[in-house]
Coordinates of all heavy atoms in Angstrom, one line a residue:
N99 N -12.3 3.5 0.6 CA -12.5 2.1 0.2 C -13.9 1.8 -0.3 O -14.1 1.0 -1.1 CB -12.0 1.2 1.3 CG -10.5 1.1 1.3 OD1 -9.8 0.7 0.4 ND2 -9.9 1.5 2.5
V100 N -14.9 2.6 0.3 CA -16.2 2.5 -0.3 C -16.2 3.0 -1.7 O -16.8 2.3 -2.6 CB -17.2 3.3 0.6 CG1 -18.5 3.5 -0.2 CG2 -17.5 2.6 1.9
V101 N -15.5 4.1 -2.0 CA -15.5 4.5 -3.4 C -14.8 3.5 -4.3 O -15.3 3.2 -5.4 CB -14.7 5.9 -3.4 CG1 -14.4 6.3 -4.9 CG2 -15.5 7.0 -2.8
R102 N -13.7 2.9 -3.8 CA -13.0 1.9 -4.6 C -13.9 0.7 -4.9 O -14.0 0.2 -6.0 CB -11.8 1.4 -3.9 CG -10.6 2.5 -3.8 CD -9.4 1.9 -3.3 NE -8.8 0.8 -4.2 CZ -7.9 0.0 -3.8 NH1 -7.4 0.0 -2.6 NH2 -7.5 -0.9 -4.7
A103 N -14.7 0.3 -3.8 CA -15.6 -0.9 -4.0 C -16.7 -0.6 -5.0 O -17.1 -1.4 -5.8 CB -16.1 -1.3 -2.6
L104 N -17.2 0.6 -4.9 CA -18.3 1.0 -5.8 C -17.7 1.0 -7.3 O -18.4 0.6 -8.2 CB -18.8 2.4 -5.5 CG -19.6 2.5 -4.2 CD1 -19.8 4.0 -3.8 CD2 -21.0 1.9 -4.4
N105 N -16.5 1.5 -7.5 CA -15.9 1.5 -8.8 C -15.8 0.1 -9.3 O -16.0 -0.2 -10.5 CB -14.6 2.3 -8.8 CG -14.8 3.8 -8.6 OD1 -15.9 4.3 -8.9 ND2 -13.8 4.4 -8.1
L106 N -15.3 -0.8 -8.5 CA -15.2 -2.2 -8.9 C -16.5 -2.8 -9.2 O -16.7 -3.5 -10.2 CB -14.5 -3.0 -7.8 CG -13.0 -2.7 -7.6 CD1 -12.5 -3.4 -6.3 CD2 -12.2 -3.2 -8.8
L107 N -17.5 -2.6 -8.3 CA -18.8 -3.2 -8.5 C -19.5 -2.7 -9.7 O -20.3 -3.4 -10.4 CB -19.6 -2.9 -7.2 CG -21.0 -3.5 -7.2 CD1 -21.0 -5.0 -7.4 CD2 -21.6 -3.2 -5.8
S108 N -19.2 -1.4 -10.1 CA -19.9 -0.8 -11.3 C -19.6 -1.5 -12.6 O -20.3 -1.4 -13.5 CB -19.5 0.7 -11.4 OG -18.1 0.8 -11.8
T109 N -18.5 -2.3 -12.6 CA -18.2 -3.1 -13.8 C -18.9 -4.4 -14.0 O -18.8 -5.0 -15.0 CB -16.7 -3.4 -13.9 OG1 -16.3 -4.3 -12.8 CG2 -15.8 -2.1 -13.7
A110 N -19.7 -4.8 -12.9 CA -20.4 -6.0 -13.0 C -21.5 -5.9 -14.1 O -22.1 -4.8 -14.3 CB -21.0 -6.4 -11.7
T111 N -21.9 -6.9 -14.7 CA -22.8 -6.9 -15.8 C -24.3 -7.1 -15.3 O -25.2 -7.1 -16.1 CB -22.5 -7.9 -16.9 OG1 -22.5 -9.2 -16.3 CG2 -21.1 -7.7 -17.5
D112 N -24.5 -7.3 -14.1 CA -25.8 -7.6 -13.5 C -26.7 -6.4 -13.7 O -26.2 -5.2 -13.7 CB -25.7 -7.9 -12.0 CG -24.9 -9.2 -11.8 OD1 -23.6 -9.0 -11.9 OD2 -25.4 -10.3 -11.6
E113 N -28.0 -6.6 -13.8 CA -28.9 -5.5 -14.0 C -28.9 -4.5 -12.8 O -29.1 -3.3 -13.0 CB -30.4 -6.1 -14.2 CG -31.4 -5.0 -14.6 CD -32.7 -5.6 -15.1 OE1 -32.7 -6.9 -15.2 OE2 -33.6 -4.9 -15.3
H114 N -28.8 -5.0 -11.6 CA -28.7 -4.2 -10.4 C -27.5 -4.5 -9.6 O -27.0 -5.7 -9.7 CB -30.0 -4.3 -9.6 CG -31.3 -4.0 -10.4 ND1 -31.6 -2.7 -10.8 CD2 -32.3 -4.8 -10.8 CE1 -32.7 -2.8 -11.5 NE2 -33.1 -4.0 -11.5
K115 N -27.1 -3.6 -8.7 CA -25.9 -3.8 -7.9 C -26.1 -3.2 -6.5 O -26.7 -2.1 -6.4 CB -24.7 -3.1 -8.6 CG -24.5 -3.6 -10.0 CD -23.4 -2.7 -10.7 CE -23.2 -3.1 -12.2 NZ -24.4 -2.7 -13.0
V116 N -25.6 -3.9 -5.5 CA -25.7 -3.5 -4.2 C -24.3 -3.6 -3.5 O -23.7 -4.7 -3.6 CB -26.7 -4.3 -3.4 CG1 -26.6 -4.1 -1.9 CG2 -28.1 -4.0 -3.9
L117 N -23.9 -2.6 -2.8 CA -22.7 -2.7 -2.0 C -23.1 -2.8 -0.5 O -23.9 -2.0 0.0 CB -21.8 -1.5 -2.1 CG -20.5 -1.4 -1.2 CD1 -19.6 -2.6 -1.6 CD2 -19.9 -0.1 -1.3
M118 N -22.7 -3.9 0.1 CA -23.1 -4.2 1.5 C -21.9 -4.0 2.4 O -21.0 -4.8 2.4 CB -23.7 -5.6 1.7 CG -24.4 -5.8 3.0 SD -25.3 -7.4 3.1 CE -26.7 -7.0 2.0
V119 N -21.9 -3.0 3.2 CA -20.7 -2.6 4.1 C -21.0 -3.1 5.5 O -22.0 -2.7 6.1 CB -20.5 -1.1 4.0 CG1 -19.2 -0.7 4.9 CG2 -20.3 -0.6 2.6
L120 N -20.0 -3.9 6.0 CA -20.1 -4.4 7.4 C -19.0 -3.7 8.2 O -17.8 -3.9 7.9 CB -19.9 -5.9 7.4 CG -21.0 -6.7 6.8 CD1 -20.9 -6.8 5.3 CD2 -21.0 -8.2 7.3
S121 N -19.4 -2.8 9.1 CA -18.3 -1.9 9.7 C -18.9 -1.4 11.0 O -20.1 -1.5 11.4 CB -18.0 -0.8 8.8 OG -17.1 0.1 9.4
D122 N -18.0 -0.7 11.8 CA -18.5 0.1 13.0 C -18.7 1.5 12.6 O -19.1 2.3 13.4 CB -17.5 0.0 14.1 CG -16.1 0.4 13.8 OD1 -15.9 1.1 12.8 OD2 -15.1 0.1 14.5
G123 N -18.4 1.9 11.3 CA -18.7 3.2 10.9 C -17.7 4.3 11.2 O -17.8 5.4 10.8
L124 N -16.6 3.9 12.0 CA -15.6 4.9 12.4 C -14.6 5.0 11.2 O -14.1 4.0 10.7 CB -14.9 4.4 13.7 CG -15.8 4.2 14.9 CD1 -15.0 3.6 16.1 CD2 -16.4 5.6 15.3
A125 N -14.4 6.2 10.8 CA -13.5 6.5 9.7 C -12.3 7.4 10.1 O -12.5 8.3 10.9 CB -14.3 7.2 8.6
E126 N -11.2 7.1 9.4 CA -10.0 7.9 9.7 C -9.5 8.6 8.4 O -8.3 8.9 8.3 CB -8.9 7.1 10.3 CG -9.3 6.5 11.7 CD -8.3 5.5 12.2 OE1 -8.3 4.4 11.7 OE2 -7.6 5.8 13.1
D127 N -10.4 8.7 7.4 CA -10.0 9.3 6.2 C -9.6 10.8 6.4 O -10.2 11.5 7.2 CB -11.2 9.3 5.2 CG -11.6 7.9 4.8 OD1 -12.3 7.2 5.6 OD2 -11.2 7.4 3.7

């Protein structure tokens, strides 16, 4: 989902982009 969010965010027209993830960091991928 971080990859998905990055792909979505990459389409924004802003000069710079930041993904801010709020999590406990535990992954089950």
Side-chain angles (χ1 to χ4, degrees):
N99 286 299
V100 164
V101 170
R102 291 187 65 194
L104 288 165
N105 290 338
L106 287 171
L107 183 54
S108 69
T109 65
T111 58
D112 301 78
E113 187 169 353
H114 302 293
K115 306 172 185 70
V116 167
L117 177 63
M118 191 171 288
V119 183
L120 294 79
S121 175
D122 57 18
L124 300 175
E126 299 173 286
D127 297 80

